Amino acid sequence: MTKAKYRAHLPQMGDTYMLTDGGLETTLIFHNGIDLPYFAAFDLLRSDQSRQTLKDYYTQYIQIAGRQDTGFILESATWRASSDWGDLMGYDAAALDRANRAAIEILFELRDAHEETHPFVISGNIGPRGDGYSPEALMTPAEAQDYHTAQIATFRGAGVDMLGAVTMTHSGEARGIARAAAAEGVPLALAFTLETDGRLPTGQTLGDAIVEVDADTAPAYYMINCAHPDHFREAIAGGQHWTSRIRGVRANASRMSHAELDEAEELDDGNPVELGILHAELKGLLPSLRVFGGCCGTDHRHVDQIAQCCVPVTKAA
């Protein structure tokens, strides 16, 4: 099995457009009716039946990439698979290592089965140490590097092409993850989450956060995730130099704030067609945008519409 196939040359760093999946956890909970304690999808790796559920989930998006004639980033189901969350669920360090490796093995199986003419990039997904909507405590870069190194080292050993750190709420943790990724020699896509005012939950502007992290340890590129396009359009509209560092968007389907989403008992899946159109507008504001997927409330319908609106058609008529 070939591993780390694209680590030295991620296709999305050039002009190649890539799709990825949508809101894994909200899909599993609200569409599949699966109970996910702590939003921890990695717990499904315990059984063969649940592993197949994850494969079926990814396959829907792989089929969209096939229809759109584009590449795909396979993002592991490990957003909660770090030590603090593992402790809450009864995973010791060895069990957590096995779970992270198992999540990556599924992605290699999918790549072996589906990759043909377009690249399928394997990404180890990293979530925040605290709550993804509002951090209980802010971390220093050194604390964050120490905390996240174990998971990142597991991913490196498992042969991932890259890392995807998503729903980052503050620059200290982001800087620490960037340091850990650089120390392990694995390229990193770093995604900040934004509030309805286009700022991080700490109040820092997106531009200031990107500049701060780049001045410390620059990741391969940045993304925005877990926010609706209406929440951050103005923040990226000025054409500042840092916007060229944003290569991916994984937006929410809903215009609700994080606080409202946290309290919602029903899924707000918004309007897939409208979301696709809004992403086309984002593409006009972000010159380097090449990676398209979704976050809370999105599923294959949303990503399909986004792909139709944003990914250039390459197939011969």
Side-chain angles (χ1 to χ4, degrees), residues 127-130 135 137-141 144-145 147-148 167-178 190:
R129 182 176 188 174
L138 302 184
M139 302 176 71
T140 67
Q145 180 176 2
Y147 178 79
H148 288 286
T167 330
M168 292 294 109
T169 60
H170 63 286
S171 57
E173 186 167 20
R175 288 166 59 190
I177 291 174
L190 184 63

Side-chain angles (χ1 to χ4, degrees), residues 204-229:
Q204 186 178 30
T205 67
L206 176 60
D208 284 350
I210 289 174
V211 169
E212 180 183 338
V213 178
D214 269 351
D216 187 314
T217 308
Y221 62 92
Y222 293 90
M223 301 193 299
I224 299 171
N225 88 294
C226 206
H228 189 274

Side-chain angles (χ1 to χ4, degrees), residues 2-7 10-12 16-19 58-59 61-67 69-75 106-123 159-162:
T2 302
K3 297 186 177 182
K5 186 175 181 179
Y6 300 105
R7 189 179 293 177
L10 295 177
Q12 65 268 37
T16 301
Y17 285 79
M18 305 286 283
L19 296 181
Y58 289 118
T59 300
Y61 296 95
I62 290 171
Q63 291 170 346
I64 295 170
R67 291 195 299 270
D69 197 31
T70 192
F72 194 77
I73 299 175
L74 286 156
E75 197 83 36
I106 285 178
L107 305 187
F108 280 117
E109 292 169 11
L110 288 165
R111 180 161 79 180
D112 289 345
H114 296 284
E115 184 180 53
E116 294 179 355
T117 58
H118 294 286
F120 275 46
V121 173
I122 306 296
S123 178
V160 301
D161 296 308
M162 61 174 288

